[in-house]
Amino acid sequence: MTKCSAPGKMILFGEHAVVYGKPALALAIDLRITAEVGPADQYSVNRHPMKKRHHAYISASLDEAWRGPPINVDTVSRIPSGSGLGSSAAVTVSCVAAIMASKGRFEPEAVARKAFEVENKVQGMASPTDTSTSTHGHGVIVSPDRLDGLLWRIEKGERSWNIHHCDVPKLGFVVGYTGINAATGPLVAKVNKLVNSSDDARKAIDRIGEIVLEGVDAIRKNDKKRLGTLMLENHSLLNQLGVGHPTLEKLVDSCRPHSYGAKLTGAGGGGSMIALTDDPESVSKAIRDSGGEPIVVEVGCEGVRMEE
Ligand code: PMV
């Protein structure tokens, strides 16, 4: 039996704009998924027969990384699925790593490449942001340009991404999960329609790209005030791009008095928001009172690792 775990992620700056070649900054969070692989009589997940449709990411992970007799994959998740916190990437990364480790040992770069292929196959289209963050941990800057701290470069057709390490200071974040699961694909398509028809939308994308770089500078300086201001600006630009939601707005507003800043994270349209704060208790209460589910998280956590 071989067991690996991998973290979820939050996108601090740059979601949606990253689809248009702008940079993004994602942070690994301390909610993990564990995958344990071992021999079995038939391909199975948590001892139930594996179904391509129900176990899309695990089944595609096996297609990508496993050649051999049937195996069982046991998974344990602390990441709410469909919350925008990277559960599909974490299940893929932990599963690919456990398969590779069962054959010897795993190289993070190889895991990140295979996990990206899996997400891309299952979703039709994906950026490597989630899978590379879940693999590497810490903070990850995804950028069209090569910056300091390059980890690896991933290419797919015409598209390419440079993946970089970013040190993450101790920062207090609370996630507010709306409980609304919004699929990423249609939201990306919605933004695309706007970008193709509106100058203001294209300007918003450009400004988000600048915010990411300013945010990277602020996180390196541990400037929480600046980070919070940038988060609020990034949030209102995402609203302009049409991916907000009244519940997200309510949660972001309720956190403002107790935080440096707050924004939706990930695709939007529901999912989750994040608030940067020194007072996680007040923020959690504000989120709960506004109908959301608060989750206090640590950021900058370790990436994929062997367990036991
Ligand atoms: O659904 P999430 O949390 O993985 O966020 C998607 C981020 C987007 O920028 C909207 C899409 C992408 O592939 O980068």
Side-chain angles (χ1 to χ4, degrees):
M1 302 290 261
T2 318
K3 202 196 254 188
C4 287
S5 74
K9 65 95 210 350
M10 62 165 71
I11 298 181
L12 185 53
F13 299 112
E15 52 273 89
H16 287 289
V18 70
V19 174
Y20 299 87
K22 302 294 175 194
L25 173 59
L27 310 179
I29 58 175
D30 64 341
L31 303 176
R32 303 182 78 86
I33 291 186
T34 302
E36 182 170 13
V37 302
D41 296 336
Q42 60 175 331
Y43 286 100
S44 48
V45 176
N46 297 322
R47 313 284 155 185
H48 297 291
M50 187 179 301
K51 300 237 167 65
K52 267 203 187 320
R53 205 154 48 90
H54 280 105
H55 309 115
Y57 291 95
I58 294 174
S59 158
S61 298
L62 293 190
D63 290 344
E64 192 65 35
W66 179 248
R67 298 269 175 285
I71 52 175
N72 173 70
V73 183
D74 282 328
T75 60
V76 178
S77 174
R78 284 200 54 224
I79 309 172
S81 81
S83 60
L85 298 177
S87 66
S88 59
V91 79
T92 304
V93 167
S94 59
C95 186
V96 167
I99 293 167
M100 294 177 91
S102 74
K103 297 187 284 192
R105 57 193 214 93
F106 70 79
E107 292 290 341
E109 182 175 339
V111 171
R113 288 185 187 286
K114 284 193 191 300
F116 165 66
E117 288 298 329
V118 169
E119 270 217 330
N120 198 60
K121 213 177 283 170
V122 175
Q123 295 174 6
M125 191 157 159
S127 82
T129 311
D130 287 19
T131 39
S132 279
T133 306
S134 183
T135 303
H136 177 66
H138 309 278
V140 162
I141 304 161
V142 181
S143 161
D145 306 313
R146 256 166 219 249
L147 311 171
D148 288 344
L150 182 73
L151 293 166
W152 47 74
R153 182 181 161 83
I154 291 188
E155 295 175 5
K156 189 84 199 165
E158 307 265 278
R159 304 181 301 155
S160 65
W161 300 268
N162 295 293
I163 310 291
H164 309 82
H165 166 83
C166 178
D167 271 331
V168 182
K170 200 169 165 48
L171 294 168
F173 277 100
V174 183
V175 172
Y177 176 38
T178 60
I180 302 161
N181 293 348
T184 301
L187 289 154
V188 170
K190 187 176 179 187
V191 172
N192 191 247
K193 222 170 141 184
L194 212 57
V195 165
N196 287 333
S197 62
S198 143
D199 272 346
D200 283 348
R202 285 190 290 272
K203 276 189 201 142
I205 296 282
D206 288 343
R207 177 62 195 142
I208 291 174
E210 292 168 4
I211 287 175
V212 176
L213 298 179
E214 289 172 34
V216 167
D217 185 56
I219 207 168
R220 285 189 175 139
K221 293 179 174 146
N222 198 6
D223 185 344
K224 292 189 261 192
K225 248 181 106 180
R226 181 101 189 97
L227 282 170
T229 306
L230 291 167
M231 285 168 72
L232 287 165
E233 190 187 348
N234 195 162
H235 179 73
S236 76
L237 291 165
L238 286 163
N239 272 335
Q240 278 181 35
L241 291 173
V243 296
H245 186 280
T247 308
L248 281 170
E249 222 39 45
K250 212 168 142 192
L251 299 188
V252 167
D253 279 348
S254 73
C255 291
R256 276 177 179 245
H258 318 285
S259 65
Y260 294 98
K263 67 181 272 293
L264 72 83
T265 186
S272 300
M273 49 71 68
I274 49 175
L276 174 60
T277 181
D278 293 332
D279 183 2
E281 270 173 37
S282 299
V283 168
S284 296
K285 185 177 179 316
I287 288 172
R288 199 174 293 110
D289 289 350
S290 309
E293 180 191 333
I295 313 170
V296 178
V297 293
E298 273 182 31
V299 291
C301 308
E302 200 185 343
V304 65
R305 64 173 183 233
M306 289 278 287
E307 294 292 339
E308 287 165 26

